[in-house]
Amino acid sequence: MTVQTAQGPTPPADPGRHLASPTTRSALRIQHHLLGAAREFLRGEGFTELLPPVIGPVTDPGARGSKQVDIDFYGHRYKLMTSAILYKQASLLAFDKIFCVAPNVRLEPLETAGTNRHLVEFHQLDVEVAGASREQITALVEQLVVHMVRSTVAALPAEFEELGRDTDAFHGLLQGAFERVRHSDAVLDLRAAGHDQNPDAELDWEGEALLSAKAGRPFFVTDYPKGSRGFYDRECPGEPGLLRNFDLIAPEGYGELCSGSERTNEYADIITRMRETGENPQKYRWYLDLVREGIPASAGFGIGVERLTRYVAGLDAVWQASAYPKLAGVVSP
Amino acid sequence: MSDLAAPGFPEEAVRLRARTGAAAAFPPAGDYGQVLFGAGPDGPDGLGGPPDRLDALRLTPPVFMEQRLAKLIDLGREPTYQDVDLSTTIGGLRSTAPVYVSALGSTRAAGGDLGLALSRQAGALGIPMVIGENVVPVNGYGRLGEAAGRSLLGRLTAYTERLADGVGGVAVQQSTEDADAEVWNLVHSDPAARPLLDSGRLAFELKVGQGAKPGLGGMTVLDAAAAARVADRYGLDPLFEGQRVLRSSSPGTFTEEILRQQVRLMRNNFPRVRIWVKLHPGRDVAAAVRTAVEAGADAVTVDGAEGGTGWAPAAFPRHVGLPLAECLRRLGALPSGPPPGRLLVSGRMWEGSRAVKSLALGATAVGLGRAALLAVAEDPQDGLVRLVECLGTEMRLLISSLGKYAPGTLGPEDVWSPAEEN
C-alpha cells in the first residue's frame, strides 16, 4: 500500500511490502523486458555492451542543483557516477558503438521528492555512437524505443492488465517518426499558454509536463540554449548559443524520458565550454588528456530506465519502477 | 652590510627586499589574521591608495524640495529625518536597510567566534549576509565534525536563528576552484538551508573577483602542515620565514561569453535561488555589469579597489584596480545608467555619507566588510547592531537633508564633484 499525499504517492516505509506488491512486481517485469528488448535491438545493430564504472575522480558535472556524492578513494576525493557521459565518450576509443546500463546517484534538491519523476538512485540506458549526427542518433532513439515498447506490450499482456494500463496508449508511439520541436518554439508555445518559461533555461518541470500532457505520442525537443546544459553538448556551428542536443518527452504528462546530443570533442572547445558552465578544468585531467590526444566525434543519449518503465507501465510515480526507491531527503534502504 | 646610502630613494624598502626576497612583496606574514588589509587614502605601511574621489564628493541639498512636499502631504505634518524609510530590496532579498554584510571568506580574522557573532547580529538586523566562497573547501560544511563556528553551516544557522520573517537572506559565494566542493549544490540540497530557500531568501553569488586584488584569486597564509593538506587543490609558495606558506587560488578565467553563460547556467540550475555576481574593479567593469544583468543576475556587486579584508600583495592596494568612485562614474556613463535596483557596492564603507553618495550614484546597497568585522571584534554581542544603527541614523539624516525619504529616490543630482567643476 502506498500513502497518497498532495504531491503524489510516497513509497512505503517497509521495503518488504513494496517488493511483494503486485504493482511493483508487474512494473519490474515490464522493466526487465524493456531492458532485454533494448539489448536485443542494440546487439542486432552491432553495439557492444560495456559495464560502466561506479566511481571516478570526476563524473558528469550535473545540473538543476543536484549534489554529487564524494567518497574517499585512498585519500583522494572520488565521485559516485551521476552519469556515464565522460566514460561513454572515452569508450569509443575501444568500440565505435557502445551501450551500458549505468547506475547513477544524484543528491537531488529536496523539492524533487514530490515531483513523482526524480530518484536519487536511478539507472540509464546509455548509448554512444562514433561519428553519428543528431539526426542519426534521434532516429536510433526512435527505433529503439519503438522496439522496446512493441516487444514488451506483445510479451506481457497480463502485467499491463494487472496495472490497468491500456496498451492502446502506445498506438501513436508505435508509428515511429516522432515530432521534432525546437526549444525556442516550445518556449513560445508555453508562453502563449500563459506559462512563464525562461527562454535561456531548460524547460521547467511544470512547462515540460504541460507540453507532455498535450501530446498524443513521444516527441523530441531540440536545440536547447547553451546556458541550460553541460559542456559536452556540441554548440551548433551555424547557430552559436544553441546546442546540437535533444530530449525525448513522453506523452500523457509523463515528461522527459531521454537526453542526448552530438558531443563536443575538440580540446579548446571543451575547455572553453567548461568555463562557461562554471567548471574547473583541473579536476577533469584524465579526460582532457584523452581529448588532447583525440577522441572520436560522436553522438549519444541516455534513457532513464525507471522513467521509461513508469511511462510504459502507466505508474503514478517513478519510485514505483524501482525495487529499492530512494527519494530526495527520504532516508531509505 | 656596507655603509652605502641612497638619499631620496626608497632605500629601506630595497634593503627589505634584499633581506627577505619575495616575502617583501606582501604585508608582514605575522600580521596575517590580526590585521585587516585593504586600501585607504593614507593607510599605514605604505598600503594607502590614491586620494578617494568618493570622499571628495559633497552631498548637495537643494532649496526647493518637491519630494518633501509630497511627504508632507502624505503625512499631514512636516516630515523629519525619522520619516526616511530605509527598507529596500537587495538583489531580490528584502532588507531593513540598504546595507549588507560582505563576504569575509575563510581568512583567519573572520573565523571562529567572530564569524558566528557577525552572523547572529546580521540576522538580528534583518540585513542580507554573504558567506565567502572558500569557507567550505577550507573550513568544511559543518556536517562531518568540523568546528561549527568556522563552517558554512555554523554561520547559516547562527544567522537564521535570529532572523525575522520576510527580511534578510544569505548569499553563498562560489568561485572557480570551489566548484570542486560544489558549494552551491551542497547548500541547495541541504535541509538546513531549506527555510531560506522556501522563503525566497537564498542567493548564490558567482565570485568573479575582489577589490583588494583584482585579477588574482584568494590568498591566505598557512603553516606548513595546513599547507600540505591543501597542496592538491591550491598553489603554494613557501615565501615566509618560520615555515609559513602563501596559499593562493586561481582567479578563474572569464570572457564576456563565459560570464553570460555562467549566469544563465546558475539561473537554469537554481531557479528558486537569487543570482548575484561579484566583480573586481576592472577597467571593463561597466561592460561586465551590463553582461551579468542582461544574463539575468538579480544583483551585481562591484568591489572597489578600496575593498577587501584579506591578504593582498602590497602593490595591489596601492596601484591596482579602479577606485569605487571611478567604477560608479563609468556605470553612470552607460547609456542606460547603472542597472536600477541591482547594483551593490563595497569598499571602505562604514558611515552614512559614503553610503549615501554611493546610493546617489546608482547603487542599491552598500556592503560592510572590515567595518563589520571590527564592530563584532569590539563587541561580539551588539557591536554590529550598534554600528548599523549609527549608520542608519546618519543615512536618514543625510537623505532627509536632500529632501528625500527613501534610498531608491536618490540620484546623481544629489552629489557635487569639485574636480568636475574644474
Side-chain angles (χ1 to χ4, degrees), chain A residues 61-68 70 77 79 107-111 198 200-202 226-229 235 272 275-280 283, chain B residues 174 176-177 179-182 185-186 188-191 194 197 232-233 252-254 257-258 261-262 264-270 272 295:
Chain A
R64 297 264 181 118
S66 64
K67 170 80 182 74
Q68 299 168 359
D70 296 339
R77 178 156 64 188
K79 310 278 187 185
L107 297 180
E108 296 281 357
L110 297 171
E111 71 264 25
N198 177 353
D200 299 322
E202 278 197 276
K226 202 159 59 162
S228 69
R229 290 293 165 97
E235 189 170 4
T272 306
R275 286 300 304 141
E276 289 173 3
T277 55
E279 288 294 314
N280 183 2
K283 68 176 181 175
Chain B
Q174 183 174 287
T176 301
E177 284 189 331
D180 295 7
E182 288 188 276
N185 288 339
L186 195 55
H188 196 247
S189 56
D190 182 36
R194 192 154 194 197
L197 182 62
D232 60 334
R233 280 171 281 156
T253 305
F254 288 88
E257 182 67 353
I258 287 173
Q261 294 303 335
Q262 286 202 8
R264 286 185 176 174
L265 191 86
M266 291 168 75
R267 297 244 301 152
N268 182 73
N269 282 359
F270 309 110
R272 301 169 69 206

Coordinates of all heavy atoms in Angstrom, one line a residue, chain A residues 61-68 70 77 79 107-111 198 200-202 226-229 235 272 275-280 283, chain B residues 174 176-177 179-182 185-186 188-191 194 197 232-233 252-254 257-258 261-262 264-270 272 295:
Chain A
P61 N 29.1 16.8 -14.7 CA 29.0 18.0 -13.8 C 27.7 18.2 -13.1 O 27.6 18.9 -12.1 CB 29.4 19.2 -14.7 CG 29.5 18.7 -16.0 CD 29.5 17.2 -16.0
G62 N 26.6 17.6 -13.7 CA 25.3 17.7 -13.0 C 24.6 19.0 -13.4 O 25.2 19.9 -14.0
A63 N 23.4 19.0 -13.0 CA 22.6 20.2 -13.3 C 21.4 20.3 -12.3 O 21.2 19.3 -11.5 CB 22.0 20.1 -14.7
R64 N 20.7 21.4 -12.4 CA 19.5 21.6 -11.6 C 19.7 21.4 -10.1 O 18.9 20.9 -9.3 CB 18.4 20.6 -12.0 CG 17.9 20.8 -13.4 CD 16.7 21.6 -13.5 NE 16.2 21.8 -14.9 CZ 15.0 21.4 -15.3 NH1 14.2 20.8 -14.5 NH2 14.7 21.6 -16.5
G65 N 20.9 21.8 -9.7 CA 21.2 21.8 -8.2 C 21.3 20.5 -7.5 O 21.2 20.5 -6.3
S66 N 21.5 19.4 -8.2 CA 21.8 18.2 -7.5 C 23.2 18.1 -7.1 O 24.1 18.6 -7.8 CB 21.3 17.0 -8.4 OG 22.1 16.9 -9.5
K67 N 23.5 17.3 -6.0 CA 24.8 17.3 -5.5 C 25.4 15.9 -5.8 O 24.8 14.9 -5.7 CB 24.8 17.5 -4.0 CG 26.0 17.2 -3.2 CD 27.0 18.3 -3.2 CE 28.3 18.0 -2.5 NZ 29.2 17.1 -3.2
Q68 N 26.7 15.9 -6.1 CA 27.4 14.6 -6.3 C 27.8 14.0 -5.0 O 27.9 14.7 -4.0 CB 28.7 14.8 -7.2 CG 28.4 15.4 -8.5 CD 29.6 15.9 -9.3 OE1 30.7 15.9 -8.7 NE2 29.4 16.4 -10.5
D70 N 30.6 12.4 -2.7 CA 32.0 12.3 -2.7 C 32.3 11.0 -1.8 O 31.7 10.7 -0.9 CB 32.6 13.5 -1.9 CG 32.4 14.8 -2.7 OD1 32.2 14.7 -3.9 OD2 32.4 15.8 -2.1
R77 N 39.6 12.4 -3.3 CA 38.1 12.6 -3.4 C 37.6 12.1 -4.7 O 37.9 12.7 -5.8 CB 37.8 14.1 -3.2 CG 36.3 14.3 -3.3 CD 35.8 15.5 -2.7 NE 36.3 16.7 -3.3 CZ 36.2 17.9 -2.7 NH1 35.5 18.1 -1.6 NH2 36.7 19.0 -3.3
K79 N 34.1 10.4 -6.9 CA 32.7 10.7 -7.0 C 31.9 9.4 -7.4 O 32.5 8.6 -8.2 CB 32.4 11.7 -8.1 CG 33.2 12.9 -8.1 CD 32.6 13.9 -7.1 CE 33.3 15.2 -7.2 NZ 32.8 16.1 -6.1
L107 N 22.3 13.5 -5.5 CA 21.5 14.0 -4.3 C 20.7 15.2 -4.8 O 21.1 16.3 -4.8 CB 22.5 14.4 -3.2 CG 23.4 13.3 -2.6 CD1 24.3 13.8 -1.6 CD2 22.5 12.2 -2.1
E108 N 19.5 14.9 -5.2 CA 18.6 15.9 -5.8 C 18.1 16.9 -4.8 O 18.1 16.6 -3.6 CB 17.4 15.2 -6.4 CG 17.7 14.2 -7.6 CD 17.9 15.0 -8.9 OE1 17.8 16.2 -8.9 OE2 18.2 14.3 -9.9
P109 N 17.8 18.1 -5.2 CA 17.2 19.1 -4.3 C 15.9 18.5 -3.6 O 15.2 17.7 -4.2 CB 16.8 20.3 -5.2 CG 17.5 20.1 -6.5 CD 17.9 18.6 -6.6
L110 N 15.7 18.9 -2.4 CA 14.6 18.3 -1.6 C 13.2 18.4 -2.2 O 12.4 17.5 -2.1 CB 14.6 18.9 -0.2 CG 15.9 18.7 0.6 CD1 15.9 19.6 1.8 CD2 16.1 17.3 0.9
E111 N 13.0 19.5 -3.0 CA 11.7 19.6 -3.6 C 11.3 18.5 -4.6 O 10.2 18.3 -4.9 CB 11.4 21.0 -4.1 CG 12.2 21.3 -5.4 CD 13.5 22.0 -5.2 OE1 14.0 21.9 -4.1 OE2 13.9 22.7 -6.1
N198 N 11.4 30.5 -18.9 CA 12.7 31.2 -19.2 C 13.3 30.7 -20.5 O 13.6 29.6 -20.7 CB 13.7 31.0 -18.0 CG 15.0 31.6 -18.2 OD1 15.3 32.2 -19.3 ND2 15.9 31.6 -17.2
D200 N 16.2 31.1 -21.8 CA 17.6 30.7 -21.7 C 17.8 29.4 -20.9 O 18.9 29.0 -20.7 CB 18.4 31.8 -21.0 CG 18.3 33.1 -21.7 OD1 18.3 33.1 -23.0 OD2 18.2 34.2 -21.1
A201 N 16.7 28.8 -20.4 CA 16.9 27.7 -19.5 C 16.2 26.5 -20.1 O 15.4 26.5 -21.0 CB 16.3 28.0 -18.1
E202 N 16.5 25.3 -19.4 CA 15.8 24.1 -19.7 C 14.3 24.4 -19.5 O 13.9 25.2 -18.7 CB 16.2 23.0 -18.8 CG 17.4 22.3 -19.1 CD 17.6 21.0 -18.4 OE1 18.0 21.0 -17.2 OE2 17.2 20.0 -18.9
K226 N 22.6 27.3 -24.8 CA 23.9 26.9 -24.2 C 23.9 26.9 -22.7 O 24.4 26.0 -22.1 CB 25.0 27.8 -24.7 CG 26.3 27.2 -24.7 CD 27.3 27.8 -25.7 CE 27.6 29.3 -25.5 NZ 28.8 29.7 -26.1
G227 N 23.3 27.9 -22.0 CA 23.4 28.0 -20.6 C 22.6 26.9 -19.8 O 22.6 26.9 -18.6
S228 N 21.9 26.1 -20.6 CA 21.0 25.2 -19.9 C 21.6 23.8 -19.8 O 21.0 22.9 -19.2 CB 19.7 25.1 -20.7 OG 19.8 24.5 -21.9
R229 N 22.7 23.5 -20.5 CA 23.3 22.1 -20.5 C 24.8 22.1 -20.3 O 25.5 23.1 -20.4 CB 23.0 21.5 -21.9 CG 21.5 21.2 -22.1 CD 21.0 20.1 -21.1 NE 19.6 20.1 -21.1 CZ 18.8 19.2 -21.8 NH1 19.4 18.4 -22.6 NH2 17.5 19.2 -21.6
E235 N 28.0 22.8 -29.4 CA 27.3 24.0 -29.9 C 27.2 24.0 -31.4 O 28.0 23.5 -32.1 CB 28.2 25.2 -29.5 CG 27.5 26.6 -29.7 CD 28.3 27.7 -29.0 OE1 29.4 27.5 -28.5 OE2 27.8 28.9 -29.1
T272 N 36.8 25.7 -23.1 CA 36.1 26.9 -23.1 C 34.7 26.7 -22.6 O 34.1 27.4 -21.7 CB 36.0 27.5 -24.5 OG1 37.3 27.7 -25.0 CG2 35.3 28.9 -24.5
R275 N 34.5 26.3 -18.8 CA 34.5 27.6 -18.1 C 33.1 28.2 -18.2 O 32.6 28.8 -17.2 CB 35.5 28.6 -18.7 CG 37.0 28.2 -18.3 CD 37.2 28.2 -16.8 NE 36.8 29.5 -16.2 CZ 36.2 29.6 -15.1 NH1 35.8 28.6 -14.4 NH2 35.9 30.8 -14.6
E276 N 32.5 28.1 -19.3 CA 31.1 28.7 -19.5 C 30.1 28.0 -18.5 O 29.1 28.6 -18.2 CB 30.6 28.6 -20.9 CG 31.4 29.5 -21.8 CD 31.0 29.3 -23.3 OE1 30.1 28.4 -23.6 OE2 31.6 30.0 -24.2
T277 N 30.4 26.8 -18.2 CA 29.5 26.1 -17.3 C 30.0 26.1 -15.8 O 29.6 25.3 -15.0 CB 29.2 24.6 -17.7 OG1 30.5 23.9 -17.9 CG2 28.5 24.6 -19.1
G278 N 31.0 26.9 -15.6 CA 31.5 27.1 -14.2 C 32.4 26.0 -13.7 O 32.6 25.9 -12.5
E279 N 32.9 25.2 -14.6 CA 33.7 24.0 -14.2 C 35.1 24.4 -14.1 O 35.6 25.3 -14.8 CB 33.5 22.9 -15.2 CG 32.2 22.2 -15.1 CD 31.9 21.5 -13.8 OE1 32.8 20.8 -13.3 OE2 30.9 21.7 -13.2
N280 N 35.9 23.7 -13.2 CA 37.3 23.9 -13.1 C 38.0 22.8 -13.9 O 37.9 21.6 -13.5 CB 37.7 23.8 -11.6 CG 39.1 24.0 -11.4 OD1 39.9 24.3 -12.3 ND2 39.6 23.9 -10.1
K283 N 40.1 19.4 -12.5 CA 39.7 18.1 -12.0 C 39.3 17.1 -13.1 O 39.1 16.0 -12.8 CB 38.5 18.3 -11.0 CG 37.2 18.8 -11.6 CD 36.1 18.8 -10.6 CE 34.8 19.2 -11.2 NZ 33.7 19.2 -10.2
Chain B
Q174 N 30.6 31.2 -4.6 CA 31.4 30.1 -5.1 C 32.3 30.7 -6.2 O 31.8 31.5 -6.9 CB 30.5 29.0 -5.6 CG 31.3 27.7 -6.1 CD 30.3 26.6 -6.6 OE1 29.7 25.9 -5.7 NE2 30.2 26.4 -7.9
T176 N 35.7 29.7 -9.0 CA 36.1 28.6 -9.9 C 36.6 27.4 -9.2 O 36.1 26.3 -9.4 CB 37.2 29.1 -10.9 OG1 36.6 30.3 -11.6 CG2 37.6 28.1 -11.9
E177 N 37.5 27.6 -8.3 CA 38.1 26.5 -7.6 C 37.2 25.8 -6.7 O 37.2 24.6 -6.4 CB 39.4 26.9 -6.9 CG 40.5 27.1 -7.9 CD 41.8 27.3 -7.2 OE1 41.8 27.8 -6.1 OE2 42.8 27.0 -7.8
A179 N 34.2 25.2 -7.2 CA 33.3 24.3 -8.0 C 33.5 22.9 -7.6 O 32.6 22.1 -7.6 CB 33.5 24.5 -9.5
D180 N 34.8 22.5 -7.3 CA 35.1 21.1 -6.9 C 34.3 20.8 -5.6 O 34.0 19.6 -5.4 CB 36.6 21.0 -6.6 CG 37.4 21.2 -7.9 OD1 36.8 21.6 -8.9 OD2 38.6 20.9 -7.9
A181 N 34.2 21.7 -4.7 CA 33.5 21.5 -3.5 C 32.0 21.5 -3.6 O 31.2 21.2 -2.7 CB 33.9 22.4 -2.4
E182 N 31.5 21.9 -4.8 CA 30.1 22.0 -5.1 C 29.3 22.7 -4.0 O 28.3 22.2 -3.5 CB 29.5 20.6 -5.3 CG 29.9 19.9 -6.5 CD 29.0 18.6 -6.6 OE1 29.5 17.6 -6.0 OE2 28.0 18.7 -7.3
N185 N 25.6 23.4 -4.8 CA 24.8 22.2 -4.8 C 24.6 21.6 -3.4 O 23.5 21.1 -3.0 CB 25.4 21.1 -5.6 CG 25.3 21.4 -7.1 OD1 24.4 22.2 -7.5 ND2 26.1 20.8 -7.9
L186 N 25.6 21.7 -2.6 CA 25.6 21.3 -1.2 C 24.6 22.0 -0.4 O 23.7 21.5 0.3 CB 27.0 21.5 -0.6 CG 27.4 20.8 0.7 CD1 27.2 19.3 0.6 CD2 28.8 21.1 1.0
H188 N 22.1 23.8 -1.7 CA 20.8 23.7 -2.3 C 20.1 22.4 -1.9 O 18.8 22.4 -1.9 CB 21.0 23.7 -3.8 CG 19.8 24.0 -4.6 ND1 19.2 23.0 -5.4 CD2 19.0 25.0 -4.7 CE1 18.1 23.5 -6.0 NE2 18.0 24.7 -5.6
S189 N 20.8 21.4 -1.6 CA 20.2 20.1 -1.2 C 20.2 19.8 0.3 O 20.0 18.7 0.7 CB 20.9 18.9 -2.0 OG 22.3 18.9 -1.8
D190 N 20.6 20.9 1.0 CA 20.7 20.7 2.5 C 19.5 21.1 3.3 O 19.0 22.2 3.1 CB 21.9 21.5 3.0 CG 22.1 21.2 4.5 OD1 21.9 20.1 4.9 OD2 22.5 22.2 5.2
P191 N 18.9 20.2 4.1 CA 17.7 20.6 4.9 C 17.9 21.9 5.7 O 16.9 22.6 5.8 CB 17.5 19.4 5.8 CG 18.2 18.2 5.1 CD 19.3 18.8 4.4
R194 N 16.8 24.9 3.8 CA 15.5 24.8 3.1 C 14.6 26.0 3.6 O 13.9 26.5 2.7 CB 14.8 23.5 3.4 CG 13.6 23.4 2.5 CD 13.3 22.0 2.2 NE 12.3 21.9 1.0 CZ 11.6 20.9 0.7 NH1 11.6 19.8 1.4 NH2 10.7 21.0 -0.3
L197 N 15.5 28.8 1.4 CA 15.2 28.5 0.0 C 13.6 28.6 -0.2 O 13.2 29.3 -1.1 CB 15.6 27.1 -0.4 CG 15.4 26.6 -1.8 CD1 16.1 27.5 -2.8 CD2 15.8 25.1 -1.9
D232 N 47.0 19.6 -3.0 CA 46.4 19.2 -4.3 C 45.4 20.1 -4.9 O 45.0 19.9 -6.0 CB 45.8 17.8 -4.1 CG 44.7 17.8 -3.1 OD1 44.7 18.7 -2.2 OD2 43.8 16.9 -3.2
R233 N 45.0 21.1 -4.1 CA 43.9 22.0 -4.6 C 44.4 23.4 -4.9 O 43.7 24.2 -5.6 CB 42.8 22.0 -3.6 CG 41.9 20.8 -3.7 CD 40.9 20.8 -2.6 NE 41.5 20.2 -1.4 CZ 41.0 20.5 -0.2 NH1 40.0 21.3 0.0 NH2 41.6 20.0 0.9
G252 N 40.4 32.2 -11.8 CA 39.3 31.8 -12.8 C 39.5 32.7 -14.1 O 40.1 33.7 -14.0
T253 N 39.0 32.1 -15.1 CA 39.1 32.8 -16.4 C 37.7 33.2 -16.9 O 36.8 32.4 -17.0 CB 39.7 31.9 -17.5 OG1 41.0 31.4 -16.9 CG2 40.0 32.6 -18.8
F254 N 37.6 34.5 -17.2 CA 36.3 35.0 -17.7 C 36.4 35.7 -19.0 O 37.4 36.5 -19.2 CB 35.6 35.9 -16.7 CG 35.1 35.2 -15.5 CD1 35.9 34.9 -14.4 CD2 33.8 34.6 -15.5 CE1 35.5 34.2 -13.3 CE2 33.4 33.9 -14.4 CZ 34.2 33.7 -13.3
E257 N 31.4 36.0 -22.9 CA 30.6 34.8 -23.1 C 30.6 33.9 -21.9 O 29.6 33.3 -21.6 CB 31.0 34.1 -24.4 CG 30.2 32.9 -24.8 CD 28.7 33.3 -25.2 OE1 28.3 34.4 -25.1 OE2 28.0 32.3 -25.6
I258 N 31.8 33.7 -21.3 CA 31.8 32.8 -20.1 C 31.0 33.4 -19.0 O 30.2 32.6 -18.4 CB 33.3 32.6 -19.7 CG1 34.0 31.7 -20.7 CG2 33.4 32.0 -18.3 CD1 35.5 31.6 -20.4
Q261 N 27.2 33.0 -19.9 CA 26.7 31.6 -19.8 C 26.7 31.1 -18.4 O 25.9 30.3 -18.0 CB 27.5 30.7 -20.7 CG 27.4 31.0 -22.2 CD 25.9 30.9 -22.7 OE1 25.1 30.3 -22.1 NE2 25.6 31.7 -23.7
Q262 N 27.7 31.5 -17.6 CA 27.7 31.0 -16.2 C 26.5 31.6 -15.4 O 25.9 30.9 -14.6 CB 29.0 31.5 -15.4 CG 30.2 30.7 -15.9 CD 31.3 30.7 -14.9 OE1 31.2 31.2 -13.8 NE2 32.5 30.1 -15.3
R264 N 23.6 32.3 -16.8 CA 22.5 31.6 -17.3 C 22.4 30.2 -16.7 O 21.3 29.7 -16.4 CB 22.5 31.5 -18.9 CG 22.2 32.8 -19.5 CD 22.2 32.7 -21.0 NE 21.7 34.0 -21.6 CZ 21.7 34.3 -22.9 NH1 22.1 33.3 -23.7 NH2 21.3 35.4 -23.3
L265 N 23.6 29.6 -16.6 CA 23.6 28.2 -16.0 C 23.1 28.2 -14.6 O 22.3 27.4 -14.2 CB 25.0 27.6 -16.1 CG 25.0 26.1 -15.8 CD1 24.8 25.3 -17.0 CD2 26.4 25.8 -15.2
M266 N 23.5 29.3 -13.8 CA 23.0 29.4 -12.5 C 21.5 29.6 -12.4 O 20.8 29.0 -11.6 CB 23.7 30.6 -11.8 CG 25.2 30.4 -11.5 SD 26.0 31.9 -11.1 CE 25.4 32.1 -9.4
R267 N 21.0 30.4 -13.3 CA 19.5 30.6 -13.4 C 18.8 29.3 -13.8 O 17.7 29.0 -13.3 CB 19.2 31.7 -14.4 CG 19.8 33.0 -14.1 CD 18.7 34.0 -13.8 NE 17.8 34.2 -14.9 CZ 16.5 34.6 -14.8 NH1 16.0 34.8 -13.7 NH2 15.8 34.7 -15.9
N268 N 19.5 28.5 -14.6 CA 18.9 27.2 -15.1 C 18.9 26.2 -13.9 O 17.9 25.5 -13.7 CB 19.7 26.7 -16.2 CG 19.1 25.4 -16.8 OD1 18.1 25.4 -17.4 ND2 19.8 24.3 -16.5
N269 N 20.0 26.2 -13.2 CA 20.2 25.1 -12.2 C 19.5 25.4 -10.9 O 19.1 24.5 -10.2 CB 21.7 24.9 -12.0 CG 22.3 24.0 -13.1 OD1 21.6 23.6 -14.0 ND2 23.6 23.8 -12.9
F270 N 19.4 26.7 -10.6 CA 18.8 27.1 -9.3 C 17.7 28.1 -9.5 O 17.8 29.3 -9.1 CB 19.9 27.7 -8.4 CG 21.2 26.9 -8.3 CD1 22.3 27.3 -9.0 CD2 21.2 25.6 -7.7 CE1 23.5 26.5 -8.9 CE2 22.3 24.9 -7.6 CZ 23.5 25.3 -8.2
R272 N 15.0 28.7 -8.0 CA 14.4 29.3 -6.8 C 15.3 30.2 -6.0 O 15.0 30.7 -5.0 CB 13.8 28.2 -5.9 CG 12.8 27.3 -6.7 CD 12.5 26.1 -5.8 NE 11.8 26.4 -4.6 CZ 11.8 25.6 -3.5 NH1 12.5 24.6 -3.5 NH2 11.1 26.0 -2.5
A295 N 22.2 38.9 -18.6 CA 22.1 37.4 -18.5 C 21.1 37.0 -17.4 O 20.8 35.8 -17.3 CB 23.5 36.8 -18.2

